[in-house]
Amino acid sequence: MGKLWLICIASISILLPFLCNAFSPETPTDRRVLVLLDDFAIMSSHSLYFNALKSRGFDLEFKLADDPKIALQRYGQYLYDALILFCPSVERFGGSIDVAAIVNFVDSGHDLIVAADVNASDLIREVGTECGVDFDEDPSAMVIDHIGYAVSGTEGDHTLIASDDFIKSDVILGGKKIEAPILFRGIGHAVSPANSLVLKVLSASPSAYSANPKSKLSTPPPLTGSAISLVSIVQARNNARLLITGSLSMFSNRFFRSGVQKAGSQTKHEKSGNEQFLTEISKWIFHERGHLKAVNVKHHRVGETDEPALYRINDELEYAVEIYEWSGTSWEPYVANDVQLQFYMMSPYVLKTLSSDKKGLYSTSFKVPDVYGVFQFKVEHQKLGYTSLSLSKQIPVRPYRHNEYERFIPAAYPYYGAAFSMMAGFFIFSFAHLYSK
Amino acid sequence: MGRTSSTKEDAGALFHSLRSAYAATPVNLKIIDLYVGFAIFTALIQVVYMAMVGSFPFNSFLSGVLSCVGTAVLAVCLRIQVNKENKEFKDLPPERAFADFVPCNLVLHLVIMNFLG
């Protein structure tokens, strides 16, 4: 009885970490999303965006940001797969959520969308800083663009800007080109160039700057030009995806439906690109696109099928791996021509590009180098917008056994001849010595 | 002028005296000398070959050269022990010297065969 109890405890404690993943490895798309709002009016004013999410199968749970009963996890298990923060002015989260809880949520592999706005609270700014972006320090600063603003009847202070400076990535923004510019009204943020995980999806035009529209500028603004990022994404090393933006009204029904005309251009678009842009980017954030898995790593000597425990130097070997991409509903073969394999011991001795058979199987064959030791088969694949693949399999390589060396080498025939002639000479000499006079 | 001709005459006289002294050695010692010369000559051929072709199967090269050098050394040892003019080995029967020579050569050839690759 005691043993059974022990087995139960052991199995639960082994399974518990797996229960905390954002998604099961079989279906990576998030399902349960917690949406924290400043007030429930946002539910109706942003209903187009939420309905688009619901129609794709997400379970949205709307709560006020300072609701005392909200919690991300209970008894060590996460209740949601993703978090949307549409609460730019919240001073303190309710319940058991705080910045540390949100950071842990992301660290355990879950996704996050944060929308700040003008006069965003310090809490939201802190969340942004933890994610790797720096909002403008002036709380009432907005992004102003006197050249790239959106022509509109009412707002004349050029804080409503139309931007079409997108990142070039079909994975993140979808295959269809976004024709109309994006309407944006809010604060900008900067991305540190040293940070390789954060990407600017939508940048401001070179003529934009971040300042308080109501007060006169006394010093040059710290954030200017294309360094201002309007929408940024982060793909963390554990493949959690985050979206940070400085405008909550970008998601609103009003911006989705309104037409847009960029100042200085003749084309007036019937509908802004906001809906298409945000729908596509949410697909990327919630792992409906660009999520890879690598399975079935196989290696063997050419001509054999089973995997040896170690190789010999100068062996011919073949390596194969299957890589699939999640399409939102099923695993499709991933097609790329730049997945590389390293045969690595302190530095790559062999670097080969794996060739794909278009059905997801990547393979190559090469000769083991003339060095023995413990090597690793390493596949490191990091492509913009895709999850990073980091596979590593250790394999020892042994030198020749004493009976595996070459024998009867033609270049050594003179030496063989000399040795044998010495033996013959000794034989003849011994007769001559014994039987001479 | 006189100096060079005298060194030339001296060289000639030296060569002749060496030759006549050598002619006086017993036949069996001359046979051993011939054997040693054969071994050294084979070793030299191998070294020249290695200098031309490179030392690729280095173990084979070492084995071949060492068999020649080892044979020469053992033959020289036999010659020392068999030479009747050698006071040091006066009491050693030449049969005993030959009986030591044979197994040493056998061991040498065993090692050579093993290292030849």
Side-chain angles (χ1 to χ4, degrees), chain A residues 352-363:
Chain A
K352 292 212 84 160
T353 306
L354 296 172
S355 53
S356 144
D357 72 341
K358 303 287 180 280
K359 286 203 209 49
L361 180 73
Y362 288 82
S363 63

Side-chain angles (χ1 to χ4, degrees), chain A residues 411 414-416 418 422-423 426, chain B residues 35 46 49 60-61 105 109 116:
Chain A
Y415 308 124
Y416 304 154
M422 282 298 118
M423 287 165 72
F426 160 68
Chain B
Y35 183 51
Q46 286 177 88
Y49 175 75
S60 306
F61 163 68
N105 258 304
H109 285 112
L116 201 56

Side-chain angles (χ1 to χ4, degrees), chain A residues 412-419 421-422, chain B residues 39-54 60-69 116:
Chain A
Y413 281 173
Y415 308 124
Y416 304 154
S421 78
M422 282 298 118
Chain B
I40 299 294
F41 174 66
T42 315
L44 279 173
I45 291 180
Q46 286 177 88
V47 170
V48 167
Y49 175 75
M50 187 214 88
M52 285 197 306
V53 170
S60 306
F61 163 68
L62 283 181
S63 175
V65 168
L66 208 61
S67 80
C68 300
V69 168
L116 201 56

